[in-house]
């Protein structure tokens, strides 16, 4: 099943430099835009998580590590996306690996000298003790010498993969306290057991502290760490993982921390354009900023972390979002069956705003515009999570199945610029939706969401314009008197259809109305600044 967007990915929620890279990846690889945006955001998070913490409530500052999960088919160019977004991270890690090898040689030399001196002191103390001589001075020298034991410099590594949960904790404790568990073949991570201890991952996500115990290796305690998880995984692999360990993943609240997406596939539509925008190749500004941030880790000590705080208006906006989500947690609310994920949304929003603010190099407090963008993005992922993991109404399931069918067959209607008779659309709809009157109700909901236009003709028939699925073709002439993408003048059920449109308007359950208002989900209007 492909999972539809609520209102398309909110590209305008990204800050300028991140948006440029997301568009660049999208135009270069023709991957679904949400995948490109997540790649860009993951790169920012990996570069900033060791440099900042965020504070927005009366609580200790939080790490800004994130968990990005992208479910996508093989062939969606996941690797190609990451080759662009994580280019500088891999260059950095490669350079650190070389330095680490040089450090190991130097450390071995210094350690050998230190060991030789220690053995000499111990021998002298032993000889003195055998003669019943005073060895206090030698013992003091040994104590001072032990304080000078050579320690190999800790070299940062941005990316780790193919690793178990205890090894993750050991890496954060012994190698470097900031890291990213990253893979464009997420099945490697899922099968390695890296997420087999969700309580530890949750604890590190919450506060930066975590504990893992393993027989034979003892207890590993992690303090002050930050871990970002970014996995791109094929649907069958994720399903297998959830069947095997899904109850633990959901029950522990680990999946509640995810920014999840499963965008519709672009395969079959990724045609090479003969026109190349000369202003498109501006991704270097993103890579330059990544290099600037990564350079702050290349030092003998851990970088000092700034505490990012919010302006008064930004904090009020976050509180509004928190309240808006809270309303939907009650029985009958939109997020009642996914209360864990919804409850974590404000925290994810605060972290994302801090990351984007720091990445743009902005000084001072985080402002309301950045928070507004973060709200749009987190709410979009929340809707994606709901579609994938929460029980849906029958109407929602029918909409998803019809959208999947349209995507599968949309090439048939390219010659008509996406204009399709209702009976023709029913012919290719899922079997249970082929009754034209039943299909019309599903089509109306898609029109209200802004994903197609529908109008009737004399005689009782109706047609649609699939402008969302066939954007590269000239749209059909916009019918007169269109409201919410709907016009019905002759249909026998005209009154019922218009009543549904009016209900949608009254409930404000559409993504955007004619006045340009935006909606995070049905009934939740996004404030204007």
């Amino acid at each position: 099943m492909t999972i539809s967007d609520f209102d398309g990915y909110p590209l305008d929620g990204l800050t300028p430099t991140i948006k440029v890279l997301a568009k660049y990846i999208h135009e270069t690889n023709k991957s679904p835009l949400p995948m490109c945006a997540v790649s860009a955001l993951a790169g920012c998070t990996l570069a900033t998580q060791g440099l900042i913490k965020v504070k927005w409530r009366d609580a200790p500052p939080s790490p800004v590590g994130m968990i990005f999960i992208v479910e996508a088919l093989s062939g969606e160019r996941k690797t190609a996306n990451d080759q662009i977004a994580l280019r500088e991270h891999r260059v950095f890690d490669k350079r650190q690996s070389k330095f680490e090898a040089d450090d190991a040689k130097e450390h071995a030399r210094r350690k050998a000298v230190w060991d030789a001196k220690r053995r000499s002191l111990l021998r002298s103390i032993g000889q003195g003790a055998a003669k019943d001589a005073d060895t206090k001075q030698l013992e003091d020298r040994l104590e001072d010498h032990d304080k000078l034991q050579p320690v190999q410099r800790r070299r940062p590594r941005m990316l780790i993969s193919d690793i178990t949960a205890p090894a993750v904790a050991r890496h954060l404790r012994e190698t470097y306290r900031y890291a990213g568990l990253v893979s464009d073949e997420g099945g490697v991570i899922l099968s390695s057991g890296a997420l087999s201890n969700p309580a530890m991952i949750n604890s590190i996500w919450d506060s930066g502290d975590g504990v893992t115990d393993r027989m034979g290796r003892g207890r590993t305690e992690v303090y002050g760490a930050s871990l970002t998880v970014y996995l791109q995984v094929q649907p069958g692999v994720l399903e297998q993982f959830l069947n095997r360990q899904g109850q633990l993943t959901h029950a522990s609240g680990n999946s509640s921390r995810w920014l999840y997406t499963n965008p519709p596939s672009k395969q079959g539509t990724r045609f090479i354009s003969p026109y190349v925008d000369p202003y498109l190749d501006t991704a270097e500004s993103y890579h330059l900023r990544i290099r600037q941030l990564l350079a702050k880790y290349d030092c003998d000590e851990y970088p000092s972390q700034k505490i990012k705080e919010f302006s008064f208006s930004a904090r009020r906006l976050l509180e509004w979002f928190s309240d808006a989500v809270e309303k939907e947690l009650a029985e009958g609310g939109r997020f009642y069956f996914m209360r864990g994920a919804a409850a974590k949304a404000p925290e994810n929003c605060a972290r994302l705003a801090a990351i984007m603010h720091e990445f743009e190099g902005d000084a001072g407090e985080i402002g309301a515009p950045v928070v507004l963008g973060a709200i749009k993005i987190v709410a979009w992922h929340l809707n994606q999570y709901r579609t994938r993991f929460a029980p849906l109404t029958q109407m929602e399931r029918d909409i998803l199945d019809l959208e999947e069918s349209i995507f599968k067959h949309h090439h048939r209607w390219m010659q008509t610029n996406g204009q399709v008779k209702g009976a023709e659309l029913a012919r290719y709809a899922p079997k249970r939706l082929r009754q034209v009157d039943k299909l019309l109700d599903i089509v109306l909901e898609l029109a209200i969401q802004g994903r197609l236009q529908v109008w009737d003709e004399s005689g009782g028939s109706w047609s649609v314009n699939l402008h969302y699925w066939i954007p590269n073709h000239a749209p059909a002439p916009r019918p007169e008197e269109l409201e919410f993408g709907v016009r019905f003048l002759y249909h026998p059920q005209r009154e019922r259809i218009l009543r549904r449109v009016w209900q949608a308007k009254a409930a404000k359950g559409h993504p955007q109305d004619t006045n340009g208002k935006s909606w995070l989900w049905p009934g939740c209007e996004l404030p204007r600044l």
Side-chain angles (χ1 to χ4, degrees):
M1 176 187 293
T2 57
I3 307 299
S4 68
D5 312 340
F6 175 68
D7 184 29
Y9 186 82
L11 189 64
D12 62 332
L14 300 174
T15 49
T17 309
I18 305 172
K19 184 192 302 183
V20 162
L21 186 80
K23 291 172 67 176
Y24 175 78
I25 297 174
H26 179 61
E27 292 296 328
T28 301
N29 294 334
K30 308 296 183 184
S31 292
L33 182 59
M35 291 176 61
C36 305
V38 169
S39 286
L41 286 172
C44 299
T45 306
L46 289 166
T48 58
Q49 67 175 343
L51 306 176
I52 61 172
K53 286 189 172 184
V54 64
K55 181 178 177 64
W56 71 283
R57 289 184 290 199
D58 187 18
S62 302
V64 296
M66 307 286 286
I67 303 179
F68 301 98
I69 305 293
V70 177
E71 187 176 7
L73 294 170
S74 176
E76 293 293 353
R77 298 172 178 166
K78 300 185 285 288
T79 303
N81 293 349
D82 284 359
Q83 284 176 341
I84 297 174
L86 305 181
R87 185 188 80 186
E88 295 302 322
H89 304 77
R90 291 195 167 94
V91 170
F92 180 84
D93 276 6
K94 186 176 180 179
R95 188 170 62 249
Q96 293 302 314
S97 180
K98 180 181 180 303
F99 291 156
E100 193 174 64
D102 295 339
D103 291 345
K105 293 177 184 178
E106 175 64 15
H107 174 70
R109 183 188 63 78
R110 294 172 57 203
K111 183 69 162 52
V113 173
W114 183 87
D115 286 340
K117 290 182 178 180
R118 193 174 193 277
R119 285 194 299 269
S120 176
L121 284 170
L122 286 172
R123 188 164 52 249
S124 298
I125 292 172
Q127 291 171 351
K131 298 177 182 179
D132 202 22
D134 183 6
T135 60
K136 179 66 168 63
Q137 187 175 8
L138 288 171
E139 291 173 21
D140 290 344
R141 286 176 57 191
L142 178 63
E143 184 178 350
D144 292 340
H145 181 73
D146 284 348
K147 293 176 183 178
L148 300 176
Q149 182 175 357
V151 177
Q152 185 171 334
R153 175 176 169 178
R154 293 185 177 187
R155 291 285 181 178
R157 292 293 183 89
M158 292 295 112
L159 312 175
I160 55 177
S161 61
D162 192 12
I163 197 168
T164 63
V168 170
R170 202 161 55 250
H171 176 93
L172 295 174
R173 177 178 174 82
E174 300 174 6
T175 303
Y176 206 73
R177 67 170 63 146
Y178 312 122
L181 194 57
V182 174
S183 178
D184 51 31
E185 291 295 341
V188 174
I189 301 292
L190 298 180
S191 62
S192 72
L195 301 184
S196 62
N197 186 353
M200 182 198 73
I201 302 293
N202 293 351
S203 182
I204 293 173
W205 188 92
D206 290 338
S207 64
D209 303 338
V211 176
T212 182
D213 289 291
R214 189 170 185 180
M215 189 169 296
R217 292 189 178 175
R219 183 182 181 91
T220 302
E221 299 180 353
V222 177
Y223 298 104
S226 183
L227 177 69
T228 288
V229 179
Y230 169 38
L231 305 182
Q232 298 188 81
V233 59
Q234 296 179 28
V237 176
L238 181 61
E239 198 64 39
Q240 185 180 36
F241 170 76
L242 292 174
N243 289 338
R244 186 177 72 247
Q245 199 168 337
Q247 180 149 355
L248 180 60
T249 300
H250 290 312
S252 68
N254 180 258
S255 65
S256 298
R257 293 160 170 80
W258 294 359
L259 286 189
Y260 167 87
T261 181
N262 181 358
S265 173
K266 299 293 288 184
Q267 295 182 45
T269 66
R270 302 174 299 186
F271 304 109
I272 298 174
S273 172
Y275 174 73
V276 178
D277 186 347
Y279 301 103
L280 181 63
D281 191 8
T282 54
E284 193 54 37
S285 60
Y286 178 93
H287 296 312
L288 174 61
R289 182 57 179 156
I290 292 288
R291 288 196 297 272
Q292 292 172 345
L293 293 170
L294 294 184
K296 298 181 180 182
Y297 296 88
D298 197 4
C299 54
D300 292 334
E301 302 293 335
Y302 289 114
S304 58
Q305 290 183 304
K306 293 185 290 186
I307 306 301
K308 306 287 286 188
E309 298 193 60
F310 296 86
S311 68
F312 177 78
S313 58
R315 193 166 58 253
R316 290 295 299 273
L317 196 54
L318 267 174
E319 291 167 353
W320 169 86
F321 180 58
S322 182
D323 289 346
V325 170
E326 188 68 25
K327 290 177 184 177
E328 302 292 345
L329 303 185
E331 187 171 358
R334 180 174 179 82
F335 303 131
Y336 176 70
F337 291 105
M338 46 172 283
R339 285 174 285 183
K344 291 289 187 292
E347 174 71 21
N348 266 326
C349 184
R351 294 179 182 216
L352 192 61
I355 290 164
M356 294 195 295
H357 185 266
E358 178 68 15
F359 189 78
E360 295 295 338
D362 295 332
E365 297 177 321
I366 303 169
V370 179
V371 171
L372 191 67
I375 287 174
K376 291 179 182 179
I377 294 167
V378 171
W380 184 88
H381 282 284
L382 203 57
N383 285 304
Q384 288 269 295
Y385 186 99
R386 179 178 181 272
T387 305
R388 177 65 169 83
F389 297 112
L392 303 180
T393 65
Q394 185 60 50
M395 174 63 76
E396 289 172 325
R397 287 194 292 270
D398 289 344
I399 287 174
L400 288 175
D401 289 346
L402 178 59
E403 285 190 292
E404 184 172 8
S405 178
I406 292 173
F407 179 80
K408 182 178 179 181
H409 298 289
H410 74 278
H411 63 278
R412 299 176 183 274
W413 303 304
M414 284 187 174
Q415 296 302 317
T416 62
N417 290 332
Q419 296 184 68
V420 187
K421 296 283 188 181
E424 172 76 1
L425 186 65
R427 180 182 172 189
Y428 293 98
K431 189 173 182 179
R432 73 175 189 283
L433 302 179
R434 289 179 183 172
Q435 183 181 349
V436 175
D437 286 344
K438 183 175 183 179
L439 182 63
L440 179 57
D441 289 336
I442 314 302
V443 167
L444 279 173
E445 296 304 316
L446 284 171
I448 288 169
Q449 292 182 14
R451 299 173 77 82
L452 52 75
Q453 297 170 343
V454 56
W455 61 91
D456 69 341
E457 299 162 353
S458 57
S461 62
W462 51 271
S463 299
V464 298
N465 175 27
L466 305 176
H467 59 81
Y468 182 86
W469 289 271
I470 311 179
N472 295 326
H473 289 252
R478 189 176 177 87
E480 295 177 1
E481 303 176 19
L482 254 161
E483 186 171 21
F484 289 132
V486 177
R487 186 202 70 176
F488 275 75
L489 301 177
Y490 315 104
H491 198 276
Q493 299 184 42
R494 178 175 183 270
E495 291 302 320
R496 179 184 69 82
I497 291 168
L498 294 181
R499 186 161 58 250
R500 173 66 193 107
V501 174
W502 294 332
Q503 286 173 351
K505 187 172 184 177
K508 300 180 180 180
H510 48 287
Q512 193 168 26
D513 66 13
T514 53
N515 295 321
K517 295 180 181 178
S518 297
W519 307 89
L520 298 180
W521 52 79
C524 182
E525 179 188 346
L526 186 66
R528 290 185 178 182
L529 297 181

